[in-house]
Amino acid sequence: MKKIAIVGGTHGNELTGIRLIEKWMKNTTLVARNNLDVELLYGNPLAIRNQVRFIDEDLNRAFHVDDLNNPPGESWESQQAHRLNKMLGPKFNNPSVDVIIDLHTTTSNMGNTIIIYNEPFNMKLAKYIQCHEDNVRIYISDKKAEDTVGLQSVAPHGATIEIGPIPQGVLFHEQFETMERTTYHALDFIQAYDNAPGFDITGEIEAYQRGVLIPYPTDESGKICAMLHKDIQNKDYCLLKKGDPMFITFSGKVMHYEGDAGFPVFINEAAYYEKNMALRMNKKIMLTIPPRDRL
Ligand SMILES: [Zn+2]
C-alpha cells in the first residue's frame, strides 16, 4: 500500500469532503504519513462548481469495468469516470493507486458509516477505524468485484466514509471534525499496515450487508403518493419488522412494512427521491477477518 487517493466531491453538493480536501491541499502535512504517497483530489469538479450532486448522471455509479473499457459516453460523468480511471486506475489492470478513500455525506441519520467492498484489507481498515472512533458502523457491499460501480472500486482497496445527517450543500462543524478524524484513522491504519509486516487486525466484525432498495408507493401515473412515516424517520440501523409503520399516504392512510425484518439505511436520503427510493433494507451479519499472513 504505497499510493493513497483521498477524494472529496464525488457528489458535488456534499460539502464536508470538498472543504476537507481544500483544507488538506493548503496543509498537506495533515495527511502526510511515513512512506505513503497521498494524493488529494476532487471527484466531480464541474458538479462542485455548480453545487449539484451531478451534471448528467451519478458519478459514483459510472465505474463499471465494461463502461471503463469502452469509449466514454456522452454524459459529463461518463467522461469524468474515464479521466479518473486514467489517473487512479486502470481498474483491474495494475492500477496506479492502492487505496481510495472517498468522502461522502448523506441526509439520512446514518452517523459515521464506513462503506466497503467485501475484501480482507478493507475489513481490517474498517475495524481499525471502529476501534479508534465511537459509534462507527460498517456497511458492506454484496456486489461481486466485476459488478462494482463506485469510485472506490477503481483501486484494489478502499472505503467510503459516509456521514449524516447533513443536508445537501451544508456544512456541520461536528460532522466535519468526525470525517477529518476518521480519515486520519484510515491513513494511520494504512501506514501501520505498510510499515510493519507484523501489524494486523483480525477477529470478527459486525457489518450491515447491503440489501434491496424499497421504493415509495406510487399512484397509477407513477407519482409518489406517500411519505415515510414519522416512526421510521431517523431510525437508520434500527430493526424494522413486518407490520411496523413505514409510509403514510397524503390522505393519511398508514402503510405497514410487509417484508422480512431488517435494518433500514439511507432512510429519506434526498438524492434517492429522483429514483423514487425511500430507503435500503440491510441485513446484520458477522464476518471473520483472515490474518494477513494467510492472504
Ligand atoms: Zn455521496
Side-chain angles (χ1 to χ4, degrees):
M1 314 298 144
K2 288 292 179 205
K3 196 158 180 201
I4 321 301
I6 309 175
V7 187
T10 299
H11 293 137
N13 56 7
E14 296 175 3
L15 268 191
T16 314
I18 297 165
R19 294 288 179 254
L20 275 169
I21 294 291
E22 258 170 45
K23 170 177 176 163
W24 295 326
M25 281 179 170
K26 286 189 187 136
N27 184 0
T28 52
T29 56
L30 292 168
V31 289
R33 297 292 184 279
N34 196 21
N35 286 333
L36 298 187
D37 175 359
V38 179
E39 190 175 338
L40 301 166
L41 68 152
Y42 299 110
N44 197 338
L46 191 57
I48 294 170
R49 230 172 297 145
N50 286 278
Q51 297 174 34
V52 291
R53 180 175 171 91
F54 55 75
I55 303 295
D56 295 315
E57 59 176 324
D58 192 336
L59 177 63
N60 211 26
R61 312 281 183 272
F63 295 91
H64 192 283
V65 68
D66 292 345
D67 294 335
L68 296 173
N69 287 339
N70 283 311
E74 298 261 293
S75 84
W76 157 261
E77 276 76 17
S78 171
Q79 291 164 27
Q80 179 63 5
H82 278 71
R83 279 189 285 271
L84 289 167
N85 188 49
K86 204 179 251 177
M87 253 160 50
L88 309 175
K91 180 169 172 172
F92 297 157
N93 188 13
N94 195 21
S96 67
V97 163
D98 298 299
V99 188
I100 293 175
I101 307 292
D102 197 15
L103 307 177
H104 287 255
T105 57
T106 169
T107 61
S108 307
N109 185 29
M110 285 174 66
N112 188 0
T113 296
I114 310 300
I115 303 179
I116 54 171
Y117 293 116
N118 191 343
E119 188 268 330
F121 178 86
N122 294 349
M123 287 194 257
K124 293 173 191 287
L125 169 70
K127 185 171 177 181
Y128 179 92
I129 293 170
Q130 212 171 32
C131 292
H132 288 80
E133 186 70 29
D134 292 338
N135 303 319
V136 170
R137 293 192 188 86
I138 300 169
Y139 174 134
I140 197 152
S141 170
D142 58 336
K143 279 187 190 284
K144 293 197 194 97
E146 60 268 30
D147 297 327
T148 53
V149 293
L151 168 62
Q152 63 160 292
S153 71
V154 171
H157 314 288
T160 295
I161 300 173
E162 183 82 70
I163 296 186
I166 306 181
Q168 295 178 336
V170 168
L171 281 171
F172 284 161
H173 181 196
E174 190 178 335
Q175 279 90 340
F176 183 95
E177 289 181 333
T178 303
M179 187 178 282
E180 183 172 16
R181 277 195 316 271
T182 303
T183 308
Y184 296 157
H185 296 317
L187 290 171
D188 293 343
F189 166 78
I190 301 164
Q191 173 184 247
Y193 195 86
D194 195 50
N195 287 286
F199 172 83
D200 203 6
I201 303 283
T202 55
E204 302 232 292
I205 52 169
E206 181 187 271
Y208 294 85
Q209 187 172 49
R210 182 178 177 274
V212 293
L213 282 167
I214 309 267
Y216 284 101
T218 48
D219 62 19
E220 315 77 55
S221 64
K223 233 176 120 210
I224 292 177
C225 62
M227 58 191 147
L228 282 155
H229 192 276
K230 61 188 176 188
D231 286 0
I232 194 176
Q233 181 60 40
N234 294 330
K235 300 282 175 55
D236 297 74
Y237 296 109
C238 297
L239 182 68
L240 186 78
K241 302 183 302 295
K242 191 173 179 171
D244 287 343
M246 190 172 213
F247 298 108
I248 181 158
T249 67
F250 302 125
S251 53
K253 182 174 167 266
V254 176
M255 302 171 76
H256 298 90
Y257 178 57
E258 300 286 350
D260 295 333
F263 295 84
V265 293
F266 287 112
I267 297 171
N268 219 344
E269 162 57 47
Y272 282 10
Y273 274 79
E274 59 156 23
K275 294 194 173 80
N276 275 6
M277 292 301 166
L279 56 87
R280 197 182 273 285
M281 273 302 270
N282 283 11
K283 270 188 297 198
K284 200 194 276 194
I285 55 170
M286 293 299 289
L287 293 167
T288 304
I289 311 175
R292 69 187 284 183
D293 59 9
R294 275 193 238 141
L295 297 180

